[in-house]
Amino acid sequence: MTEPEAEDRKPQSDEARSAFAAPVGVTSSDDESSTTSEFALPKGLDVPQPTGDAEGSAFSTPHTYSAKQAPPAFTPPTGIPVVKLTKEAPWQDRMRTMLRMPVTERPAPEPVQKVDEAGPAVPRVLDLTLRIGELLLAGGEGAEDVETAMFAVCRSYGLDRCEPNVTFTLLSISHQPSLVDDPVTASRTVRRRVTDYTRLAAVYALVDDLSDPETAISLEEAYRRLAEIRRNRHPYPGWVLTAAGGLLAGAASVLVGGDAVVFVAAALGAMLGDRLAWLCAGRGLPEFYQFTVAATPPAAIGIALTLTHVDVKASAVVTGGLFALLPGRALVAGVQDGLTGFYITASARLLEVMYFFVGIVAGVLVVLYFGVKLGAQLNPDQALGISERPVLQIVASMLLSLTFAILLQQERSTVLAVTLNGGVAWSVYGAMHYAGDISPVASTAVAAGLVGLFGQLLSRYRFASALPYTTAAIGPLLPGSATYFGLLSIAQNNVDKGLVSLTKAAALAMAIAIGVNLGSEISRLFLRVPGAASAAGRRAAKRTRGF
């Protein structure tokens, strides 16, 4: 072997060898000093160059992009699954399914309302959506149902990638046309709340028409109908509401064992308290003081009857007056928001309920304290004798639900249904608690569950909100007597016993709210759900883990 060949056979050092050097025997025509990139275009590939800036940006709109044919914002690696929504299902079910669905799985909207070729005016559609959501939230509707209605309005006009957000006093909605376009966001604050279920039903009818493919409603027509809903007067005048409040208190007093004298006394006390509350509202006092003032006349009349030695049940008079003030509507809405995952709104609603309850407690406690000091013989252990007159008490429960519906400004067509629903609720409660000797909390929960079940079925039949069919029906189940006896024990310096009774009242109130929500959810298990053949395919509520 010659000396040059021996030099070639020697192993080269690390300095003389490179991982990027071409192997022996491989020749390259390119200059080794030139730099290459895996993103460089191969030679021979003709690609049209953009006419704009030489250097593009990842955030600039592609020249082949069209807003009308925008691709989905997020495309998963496995592709976008086809989701078919059942057209026969109510719009509430379809839109609730969309809200509980991940963004990547939502199908593209099919515009229901006709718009011009340029597309809908996005700011005006968002403004209309916020105004509709404001009326629903101010009327006491749950946060998830408000978001469902807002989502339905946006999709009816063909706006995709809309995300509504509802809190206790603020509504916002964001629309992003694509990943490369700037989002459009609008918000609206709810500063005043008015209980008017007739207006609530009218808003639901408007959303139902907007979601109907056979009904063409332009933006101008939708704004006109919304303005008419705002201008409409309440269906019942003020004196009818005052009389309904008195009849509600009288029916509640009979429900807990009162006679004709107790009925009249409780009705007079509730009507006087209602007028005083209206006077405070006209002076601009907050609702806390309105509840405090409204709670004093029934308690004062009950104390006066005791001091004059009239042979009546003063406890039934005070209990009947409390029934007209207990915030059952706000309690049900607050617990419903918590169960569906809207914890901020639920906390705010429950805090509002607590303030109202503290106002009622303050008004009644002041009167009871002075009554005890004046020598009124009030017995916290007094039995009200509820189980002795079942037929009369069923009639009283139906009257209570009827008057409660009037106080909620319900449509006259829904009053009969909610009255029967209230009678069924009390019948079930009485049969379980008094005849079956079951605990009052469990009996209340089952009765409230039936209220929620029947209310949801009736609302689906009418394509309306479930609130008009459930809120007034839970009136006979409100814990008025437990609240009164707890306050009386505290006024007599028996704090431990009073706290036990107030805890029982809180447990009954929570049983009512949870029962109503559970009954509504059970009704959906037997209804046809869009996108699923059975209840097993239902999405979990918002912000839950989805188990």
Side-chain angles (χ1 to χ4, degrees):
M1 182 181 295
T2 62
E3 186 174 351
E5 292 177 351
E7 291 292 334
D8 293 339
R9 296 289 299 272
K10 291 181 179 180
Q12 297 181 354
S13 62
D14 293 339
E15 291 79 4
R17 184 172 55 194
S18 173
F20 298 98
V24 179
V26 178
T27 60
S28 176
S29 60
D30 296 335
D31 188 6
E32 294 181 357
S33 62
S34 63
T35 58
T36 60
S37 171
E38 61 181 358
F39 298 103
L41 295 175
K43 289 185 178 181
L45 180 61
D46 186 14
V47 178
Q49 299 298 324
T51 58
D53 299 336
E55 294 185 3
S57 172
F59 299 98
S60 61
T61 305
H63 66 282
T64 58
Y65 175 78
S66 176
K68 294 184 178 180
Q69 299 177 354
F74 306 99
T75 304
T78 57
I80 301 177
V82 178
V83 179
K84 184 178 180 182
L85 297 181
T86 306
K87 299 297 183 181
E88 293 79 8
W91 63 267
Q92 296 97 322
D93 281 344
R94 290 186 281 114
M95 294 301 106
R96 184 178 286 106
T97 302
M98 295 290 292
L99 282 176
R100 296 179 178 182
M101 186 182 300
V103 179
T104 57
E105 299 180 9
R106 291 178 183 174
E110 300 177 1
V112 176
Q113 304 303 325
K114 296 181 179 180
V115 294
D116 53 9
E117 296 181 356
V122 174
R124 294 197 66 195
V125 173
L126 297 184
D127 179 70
L128 175 67
T129 302
L130 288 174
R131 292 178 183 273
I132 290 177
E134 177 190 8
L135 287 179
L136 293 177
L137 187 62
E141 191 62 87
E144 186 181 35
D145 294 324
V146 175
E147 283 195 0
T148 301
M150 295 172 64
F151 200 72
V153 175
C154 288
R155 291 184 68 88
S156 65
Y157 285 100
L159 294 187
D160 195 7
R161 308 181 191 96
C162 287
E163 288 297 333
N165 189 18
V166 175
T167 58
F168 185 57
T169 58
L170 180 66
L171 299 97
S172 62
I173 188 168
S174 178
H175 167 66
Q176 188 172 11
S178 67
L179 288 176
V180 296
D181 287 339
D182 295 331
V184 180
T185 304
S187 61
R188 195 171 183 86
T189 303
V190 179
R191 302 189 182 275
R192 186 180 180 184
R193 302 178 183 275
V194 179
T195 304
D196 189 344
Y197 282 1
T198 299
R199 180 180 297 176
L200 190 71
V203 176
Y204 261 80
L206 174 59
V207 178
D208 184 58
D209 290 341
L210 289 175
S211 304
D212 187 5
E214 299 180 359
T215 304
I217 301 178
S218 62
L219 278 173
E220 290 73 15
E221 177 66 16
Y223 268 107
R224 185 191 64 81
R225 288 183 57 177
L226 195 62
E228 289 181 354
I229 293 173
R230 286 181 173 273
R231 288 195 300 264
N232 281 346
R233 299 179 61 88
H234 299 307
Y236 307 104
W239 67 270
V240 173
L241 298 180
T242 302
L247 291 177
L248 188 152
S253 64
V254 174
L255 198 64
V256 295
D259 52 12
V261 177
V262 172
F263 180 93
V264 175
L268 290 178
M271 288 189 290
L272 181 58
D274 180 77
R275 288 294 91 190
L276 290 176
W278 276 102
L279 181 62
C280 294
R283 298 294 181 180
L285 290 178
E287 285 185 303
F288 176 85
Y289 301 105
Q290 297 177 28
F291 273 81
T292 302
V293 172
T296 55
I301 291 178
I303 295 296
L305 292 175
T306 303
L307 292 175
T308 54
H309 303 287
V310 178
D311 188 15
V312 295
K313 293 182 179 180
S315 58
V317 176
V318 182
T319 301
L322 291 178
F323 266 85
L325 298 176
L326 294 177
R329 172 184 57 86
L331 176 67
V332 172
V335 174
Q336 178 182 355
D337 288 341
L339 295 176
T340 53
F342 294 82
Y343 301 115
I344 296 178
T345 306
S347 301
R349 289 186 189 271
L350 294 178
L351 185 62
E352 181 188 42
V353 171
M354 187 193 72
Y355 272 103
F356 291 162
F357 189 76
V358 170
I360 297 171
V361 168
V364 176
L365 269 181
V366 169
V367 177
L368 291 180
Y369 177 79
F370 284 105
V372 171
K373 291 297 183 181
L374 293 175
Q377 299 297 325
L378 300 173
N379 184 13
D381 299 326
Q382 180 182 6
L384 292 176
I386 302 177
S387 61
E388 298 176 356
R389 303 171 298 174
V391 177
L392 180 61
Q393 287 155 359
I394 291 176
V395 175
S397 66
M398 296 175 66
L399 177 61
L400 193 153
S401 300
L402 171 65
T403 52
F404 201 176
I406 295 175
L407 288 176
L408 295 174
Q409 303 280 1
Q410 291 190 195
E411 290 181 301
R412 292 178 174 85
S413 59
T414 63
V415 171
L416 178 60
V418 73
T419 301
L420 296 176
N421 202 6
V424 171
W426 178 259
S427 301
V428 172
Y429 171 80
M432 293 184 62
H433 179 52
Y434 299 110
D437 199 18
I438 302 177
S439 68
V441 176
S443 303
T444 300
V446 173
L450 290 177
V451 168
L453 175 63
F454 294 152
Q456 193 66 231
L457 295 177
L458 289 172
S459 67
R460 298 308 175 88
Y461 176 73
R462 298 287 300 272
F463 293 95
S465 172
L467 287 181
Y469 299 98
T470 58
T471 305
I474 65 173
L477 304 176
L478 292 176
S481 58
T483 303
Y484 163 70
F485 287 131
L487 298 179
L488 180 58
S489 298
I490 294 176
Q492 294 178 344
N493 293 326
N494 195 348
V495 180
D496 294 338
K497 191 173 183 179
L499 292 179
V500 170
S501 184
L502 290 179
T503 303
K504 177 183 175 182
L508 291 173
M510 292 297 294
I512 293 173
I514 295 175
V516 170
N517 181 265
L518 182 61
S520 300
E521 292 296 329
I522 289 176
S523 68
R524 296 192 184 105
L525 295 177
F526 302 100
L527 295 175
R528 190 175 183 182
V529 179
S534 65
R538 291 187 68 239
R539 292 284 177 182
K542 184 180 179 182
R543 301 187 187 91
T544 60
R545 299 182 66 182
F547 291 156

